[in-house]
Amino acid sequence: MADDDTRKVSQKDLAAMIDRTPGALSQAVRRTHFCAGYPVFEWAEWHPGGKQVMHYEVPVQVLKELLPTEEYTSYGIFD
């Protein structure tokens, strides 16, 4: 698995993973701030119109830190 591998994660799921509200996550992205110590603004994939985040491309390495092993397969991580 390459170091730059990412997985698509919804705002709701990412917010739950880092124990923040979706609103706090959204605000951090819009202000280019870290959220719970993570550079979430770097992971945001914006809608072509530029006003809404479609999803987040979260590095696999980070997902492994945040998720219990039994949830890896739901994000296509097979370690």
Side-chain angles (χ1 to χ4, degrees), residues 16-47:
M17 287 177 200
I18 62 174
D19 196 28
R20 298 295 186 268
T21 65
L25 179 59
S26 178
Q27 192 172 50
V29 168
R30 292 188 186 284
R31 294 180 178 176
T32 63
H33 292 167
F34 281 61
C35 190
Y38 295 99
V40 294
F41 57 91
E42 292 179 356
W43 305 337
E45 291 292 322
W46 291 89
H47 187 276

Side-chain angles (χ1 to χ4, degrees), residues 7 17 27-28 40 46 50 57 60 65 67-68 70 73-75:
R7 296 295 185 272
M17 287 177 200
Q27 192 172 50
V40 294
W46 291 89
E57 288 290 338
V60 168
E65 293 172 15
L67 294 172
E70 57 271 9
T73 57
S74 64
Y75 288 94

